[in-house]
């Protein structure tokens, strides 16, 4: 995905009103960010969504993956638009905006969030990891199918990597998965999926 900043300052409420239904924008610190996903980026996100939907059915849990959704960070002018989000349907009655807009404000409503890494990988590895942890999202996947993240995140030599962050005492414990490693998920413990299977979706 190619991202570019648009020189325009907005509040989160203004952003939701004007751009909430337009999938190619998110807001970071009042800055409107235009996302231009590539076709391959969408293939990878769709593949993961399909696999997780199967697990939702297998586990018979009240989770679902919305077609579009924003995560609004309360007290900030930031609204992220993740590539994939697994929501807990039993928690949505507590969400103040959900009945009017597909906007989530509480981490307790979210079981898992996935970001497929783009050219602006710093946001996925650093900024979003920090904010998602503060929000209390229990599990966060960073899917770097191109292996473009910094060496401090994916190692050396750089290669395609999936980083799964699990929340422990308000901080993410991060584990890297590469090549034939089977992904380990606390939300979907029976998931049978390797890193290479995800990366193959980009072919």
């Amino acid at each position: 995905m190619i991202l570019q900043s648009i020189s325009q300052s907005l509040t989160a409420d203004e952003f939701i009103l004007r751009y909430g239904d337009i999938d190619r924008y998110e807001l970071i610190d009042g800055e409107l960010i235009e996302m231009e996903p590539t076709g391959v980026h969408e293939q990878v996100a769709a593949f993961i969504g399909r696999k997780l939907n199967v697990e939702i059915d297998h586990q018979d849990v009240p989770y679902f993956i919305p077609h579009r959704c924003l995560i609004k960070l309360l007290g900030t002018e930031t609204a992220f638009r993740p590539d994939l989000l697994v929501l807990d349907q039993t928690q949505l009655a507590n969400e103040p905006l959900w009945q009017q807009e597909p906007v989530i404000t509480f981490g307790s409503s979210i079981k898992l969030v996935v970001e497929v890494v783009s050219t602006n990988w710093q946001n996925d590895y650093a900024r979003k990891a920090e904010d998602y942890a503060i929000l209390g999202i229990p599990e966060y996947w960073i899917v770097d199918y191109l292996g473009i993240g910094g060496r401090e995140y994916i190692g050396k030599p750089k290669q395609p990597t999936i980083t799964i962050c699990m929340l422990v005492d308000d901080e993410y414990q991060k584990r890297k998965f590469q090549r034939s490693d089977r992904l380990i998920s606390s939300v979907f413990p029976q998931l049978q999926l390797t890193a290479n299977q995800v990366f193959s979706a980009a072919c």
Side-chain angles (χ1 to χ4, degrees):
M1 183 188 297
I2 300 167
L3 289 88
Q4 66 181 60
S5 172
I6 297 172
S7 182
Q8 182 177 6
S9 182
L10 295 169
T11 67
D13 289 338
E14 287 171 338
F15 170 76
I16 291 169
L17 182 64
R18 293 168 59 179
Y19 298 98
D21 293 333
I22 305 175
D23 288 346
R24 67 179 186 271
Y25 295 108
E26 67 180 358
L27 189 73
I28 299 179
D29 296 330
E31 187 177 5
L32 188 63
I33 305 294
E34 183 174 8
M35 304 180 294
E36 299 175 7
T38 64
V40 176
H41 176 282
E42 294 299 286
Q43 284 174 238
V44 172
F47 175 82
I48 295 169
R50 181 160 57 89
K51 293 297 183 181
L52 295 187
N53 270 321
V54 169
E55 289 304 305
I56 290 170
D57 284 345
H58 280 168
Q59 291 183 206
D60 194 24
V61 285
Y63 306 161
F64 72 101
I65 299 174
H67 174 64
R68 70 166 69 92
C69 192
L70 290 168
I71 300 174
K72 179 184 179 185
L73 304 184
L74 294 176
T76 74
E77 304 308 339
T78 295
F80 293 130
R81 194 181 301 275
D83 291 305
L84 195 146
L85 194 62
V86 178
L87 296 180
D88 184 343
Q89 193 162 328
T90 67
Q91 297 296 314
L92 296 180
N94 301 318
E95 287 288 348
L97 302 175
W98 186 255
Q99 294 300 321
Q100 290 76 39
E101 299 277 358
V103 178
I104 295 296
T105 58
F106 297 132
S108 56
S109 301
I110 302 168
K111 301 304 294 184
L112 185 151
V113 64
V114 177
E115 296 286 2
V116 179
V117 172
S118 62
T119 52
N120 197 12
W121 53 264
Q122 294 92 339
N123 277 341
D124 296 325
Y125 280 104
R127 174 60 190 270
K128 291 184 179 181
E130 181 177 342
D131 284 341
Y132 288 158
I134 290 171
L135 196 57
I137 297 173
E139 190 166 322
Y140 170 38
W141 293 16
I142 306 169
V143 180
D144 191 349
Y145 70 94
L146 292 172
I148 59 175
R151 289 176 182 155
E152 67 270 34
Y153 299 113
I154 63 174
K156 182 180 178 181
K158 297 206 297 185
Q159 61 183 300
T161 302
I162 297 172
T163 304
I164 294 184
C165 312
M166 296 187 187
L167 198 63
V168 178
D169 297 329
D170 301 325
E171 290 187 2
Y172 280 135
Q173 301 295 317
K174 300 175 182 178
R175 184 172 173 184
K176 295 193 293 285
F177 299 86
Q178 298 169 334
R179 296 184 290 272
S180 60
D181 294 340
R182 185 174 76 85
L183 305 185
I184 305 298
S185 167
S186 61
V187 177
F188 299 107
Q190 299 173 30
L191 181 67
Q192 298 293 320
L193 185 64
T194 68
N196 272 344
Q197 284 177 290
V198 175
F199 303 145
S200 292
C203 297

